[in-house]
Amino acid sequence: MAPFVAAVLGVGGIFYGLVVLLDFKELDTNAKLDAKTLFDLVKLSFGVVAGAGALVALVVAYRRQRVDEAGAHRETTRLHTESFSLAVDKLGSESPAVRLGGVHALAGLADDAPDDNLRQTCIDVLCAYLQLPFTPDPGNDPAHQEEHHRYLALRKVRTQFFVSSASITNALRAPSAPGKAPTSTSQASPSTST
């Protein structure tokens, strides 16, 4: 509504400026208007009304577009938040395979985040997960075989984390071209071993 009021005030100011600039005198009320002048006045009136109508339509369309974009952003953020919650739940699982799925899910969410704050949140959670304490390798002793397998599975999860975080970091450093999807974390191969 404010742009419309500003436009009306602007047109009024221009009209007043022209009246003052052209030194417009009072209208002669005794003079009769001929048909051509009356027709020109009607055309001018229709032009002004059509211009005002077009301005109102433009303002309404602009506001509708902004409301639609804000709604789409809210919906995208809501879907991202739901997916984020599910991925974080996977990180807390006892199963290393489910944890690995959580790492992949968070890396994918970071790639597809609708804004930088949500991307940074995914990265922060992955970094916090990496800083959690872990049990050292019990060795190849047959008595501790199950712990050794668990250690190897969790090491795989941590290795995959490094691959995912490297992919996210590369995506943040070199933004993709318009219309090109960011690099997927599943295409990277593990190059580190812990």
Side-chain angles (χ1 to χ4, degrees):
M1 189 66 176
F4 178 72
V5 172
V8 169
L9 289 175
V11 168
I14 291 171
F15 180 74
Y16 180 75
L18 288 174
V19 166
V20 170
L21 182 66
L22 297 175
D23 196 27
F24 188 73
K25 303 290 184 206
E26 211 175 285
L27 285 177
D28 184 9
T29 55
N30 296 332
K32 295 192 176 190
L33 296 174
D34 61 344
K36 182 179 182 311
T37 306
L38 187 59
F39 183 68
D40 288 342
L41 284 175
V42 169
K43 283 194 319 188
L44 180 64
S45 298
F46 280 134
V48 169
V49 169
L55 181 64
V56 168
L58 183 65
V59 168
V60 168
Y62 173 73
R63 295 280 299 159
R64 184 176 299 133
Q65 177 69 26
R66 294 223 13 210
V67 167
D68 289 346
E69 287 174 357
H73 183 70
R74 272 194 308 275
E75 180 65 18
T76 303
T77 303
R78 185 186 66 78
L79 291 173
H80 184 273
T81 303
E82 288 175 4
S83 300
F84 176 80
S85 297
L86 292 173
V88 169
D89 285 342
K90 288 180 180 181
L91 286 180
S93 174
E94 287 295 317
S95 169
V98 174
R99 286 185 183 190
L100 183 60
V103 168
H104 279 290
L106 276 175
L109 284 172
D111 284 343
D112 300 334
D115 62 35
D116 289 338
N117 291 332
L118 295 174
R119 176 177 291 124
Q120 188 60 46
T121 302
C122 292
I123 292 170
D124 291 345
V125 169
L126 285 170
C127 289
Y129 175 73
L130 184 63
Q131 294 172 354
L132 289 175
F134 67 97
T135 308
D137 187 5
N140 289 332
D141 184 16
H144 300 290
Q145 196 66 19
E146 185 176 328
E147 289 88 6
H148 179 68
H149 289 298
R150 181 170 176 76
Y151 169 79
L152 292 176
L154 290 176
R155 185 177 76 177
K156 177 67 176 166
V157 171
R158 288 179 185 271
T159 301
Q160 186 56 45
F161 168 79
F162 285 120
V163 171
S164 297
S165 65
S167 172
I168 293 169
T169 303
N170 290 339
L172 289 175
R173 285 186 184 153
S176 60
K180 182 178 174 187
T183 306
S184 173
T185 57
S186 63
Q187 294 173 351
S189 61
S191 60
T192 60
S193 61
T194 36

